[in-house]
């Protein structure tokens, strides 16, 4: 029995440890803030990709000048809102850095 336990222990030690699936901790307020920031960044990236494809379509648009001008105005307004959203996300990121948010997140990730 002792020999079997030793063989079993050495087999476990030799087997590679499977990585645990990552689950973001949500216990503290910082984790919730970080998750909210990340979802905001994903949203802004998606909108920026859609705006870029609209810009390509707008550049290729020929014909009615007033229609093209109206679409260009709408596109400029959309890009301006995206810039404002991105600036807000950047300010939040700076707050994380000055509040020691990186240290808090690192400790939480180490505990997960």
């Amino acid at each position: 029995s002792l020999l079997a336990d030793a063989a079993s222990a050495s087999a476990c030690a030799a087997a590679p440890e499977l990585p645990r699936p990552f689950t973001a901790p949500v216990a503290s307020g910082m984790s919730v803030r970080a998750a909210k920031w990340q979802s905001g960044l994903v949203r802004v990236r998606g909108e920026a990709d859609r705006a870029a494809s609209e810009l390509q379509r707008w550049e290729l648009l020929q014909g009615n000048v007033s229609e093209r001008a109206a679409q260009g105005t709408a596109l400029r307004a959309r890009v301006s809102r995206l810039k404002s959203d991105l600036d807000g996300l950047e300010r939040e990121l700076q707050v994380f850095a000055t509040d020691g948010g990186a240290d808090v997140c690192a400790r939480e990730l180490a505990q997960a």
Side-chain angles (χ1 to χ4, degrees):
S1 172
L2 187 56
L3 192 54
D5 288 341
S8 148
S10 67
C12 288
E17 183 178 329
L18 296 175
R20 294 180 306 178
F22 175 75
T23 55
V26 293
S28 73
M30 183 58 69
S31 297
V32 172
R33 285 173 55 197
K36 184 179 175 184
W37 181 88
Q38 186 176 17
S39 69
L41 181 63
V42 168
R43 179 188 55 81
V44 168
R45 279 185 176 170
E47 289 181 21
D49 289 343
R50 287 188 294 277
S53 66
E54 274 186 40
L55 176 62
Q56 288 177 345
R57 282 194 304 270
W58 179 80
E59 288 172 339
L60 297 173
L61 185 64
Q62 296 176 354
N64 191 349
V65 174
S66 63
E67 178 184 341
R68 190 169 193 272
Q71 287 181 358
T73 301
L75 189 57
R76 279 190 297 278
R78 185 174 181 180
V79 169
S80 177
R81 281 191 307 272
L82 283 172
K83 183 180 181 328
S84 174
D85 291 348
L86 191 59
D87 288 343
L89 287 170
E90 184 177 7
R91 282 190 302 274
E92 286 181 39
L93 189 59
Q94 290 173 350
V95 167
F96 287 153
T98 58
D99 286 350
D103 295 337
V104 171
C105 288
R107 281 194 305 267
E108 289 173 349
L109 289 174
Q111 292 174 359

